[in-house]
Amino acid sequence: GAGVSQSPRYKVAKRGQDVALRCDPISGHVSLFWYQQALGQGPEFLTYFQNEAQLDKSGLPSDRFFAERPEGSVSTLKIQRTQQEDSAVYLCASSLLLDTEAFFGQGTRLTVV
Amino acid sequence: EDKVVQSPLSLVVHEGDTVTLNCSYEVTNFRSLLWYKQEKKAPTFLFMLTSSGIEKKSGRLSSILDKKELFSILNITATQTGDSAVYLCAVGSGGSNYKLTFGKGTLLTVNP
């Protein structure tokens, strides 16, 4: 596709429920990133993939968060046993190569009730 | 800890005004500084700056980086209502851009 595509756009989860957020990067982009953006704040880094390899997951807030990119294209961010503090917009970005500009998707707004 | 500070946090102007948005940073092993425009949810890429003193320009927007004083400015001339958005500054550190540190953003409102 022409841009980074994320789904769903909105997700409401009951506390304790597991959720899966999907990211389709721009075709051919090697690098893929996940960021979390709380209301009124700038995005915060979660994790980074180069092709299928997860090279940095230091930003994942807890072991309830898990990300994968098994074939080096589509990525999924999974959150287990969601908590209210997980409510945020989850942004995915991709870049052609490391250190070229990153292009962001529309994000998924997760609300945990 | 890497830090990016943007100012002002919010700004209200009239159409036709010129605005200057500021971004200062303290990071380890600076790689690049990036500006994004965020309307609704998706940050849209504007500029990536790696070298000091070289102005990047796109239409009414321009930006420059000062690596000695550790800041960047984003200028918008002849503002339009469509420029209303949050402008985010992000810095790549650790010698790479893969882990961007973002500022909180500047909320720009352009009134007709």
Side-chain angles (χ1 to χ4, degrees):
Chain A
V4 178
S5 177
Q6 292 187 244
S7 61
R9 295 284 303 275
Y10 302 90
K11 176 70 180 177
V12 178
K14 289 186 178 177
R15 193 169 53 184
Q17 188 178 352
D18 296 351
V19 299
L21 313 180
R22 177 187 168 103
C23 173
D24 273 281
I26 295 172
S27 179
H29 278 199
V30 168
S31 299
L32 185 144
F33 318 84
W34 283 97
Y35 284 81
Q36 180 190 58
Q37 188 173 23
L39 193 62
Q41 303 293 317
E44 290 194 359
F45 171 82
L46 293 177
T47 187
Y48 160 62
F49 290 87
Q50 185 169 308
N51 295 307
E52 69 279 2
Q54 188 175 22
L55 298 186
D56 189 327
K57 55 181 181 179
S58 62
L60 296 176
S62 76
D63 58 9
R64 296 185 296 103
F65 286 70
F66 172 76
E68 60 183 5
R69 193 187 185 196
E71 296 177 2
S73 178
V74 171
S75 177
T76 304
L77 176 67
K78 297 179 180 177
I79 309 173
Q80 297 176 322
R81 303 181 304 281
T82 51
Q83 303 294 317
Q84 281 194 314
E85 62 263 28
D86 300 335
S87 297
V89 174
Y90 290 85
L91 293 165
C92 176
S94 70
S95 65
L96 181 61
L97 298 169
L98 184 63
D99 291 344
T100 57
E101 59 268 30
F103 297 91
F104 282 82
Q106 293 277 345
T108 295
R109 182 179 297 279
L110 173 65
T111 303
V112 181
V113 297
Chain B
E1 185 181 331
D2 294 341
K3 192 162 65 171
V4 176
V5 178
Q6 292 186 245
S7 63
L9 288 182
S10 66
L11 187 56
V12 180
V13 300
H14 291 291
E15 262 191 322
D17 288 351
T18 293
V19 298
T20 298
L21 310 184
N22 303 291
C23 176
S24 63
Y25 61 90
E26 289 178 36
V27 301
T28 304
N29 198 4
F30 172 90
R31 173 67 178 172
S32 300
L33 185 144
L34 296 90
W35 284 97
Y36 288 87
K37 177 183 182 182
Q38 188 171 30
E39 299 169 279
K40 309 267 184 187
K41 286 194 291 186
T44 305
F45 172 79
L46 296 175
F47 299 111
M48 183 166 74
L49 304 156
T50 305
S51 302
S52 261
I54 298 173
E55 185 183 51
K56 293 222 172 176
K57 199 168 168 66
S58 176
R60 295 176 294 102
L61 277 66
S62 64
S63 184
I64 197 161
L65 173 68
D66 185 329
K67 288 168 73 173
K68 184 178 176 188
E69 300 298 329
L70 307 182
F71 79 91
S72 173
I73 59 171
L74 175 68
N75 278 321
I76 308 174
T77 59
T79 51
Q80 302 171 358
T81 55
D83 295 328
S84 297
V86 173
Y87 289 83
L88 292 166
C89 173
V91 175
S93 60
S96 170
N97 284 338
Y98 84 79
K99 194 171 183 177
L100 296 176
T101 300
F102 281 82
K104 289 188 176 182
T106 293
L107 173 61
L108 174 65
T109 303
V110 182
N111 290 324

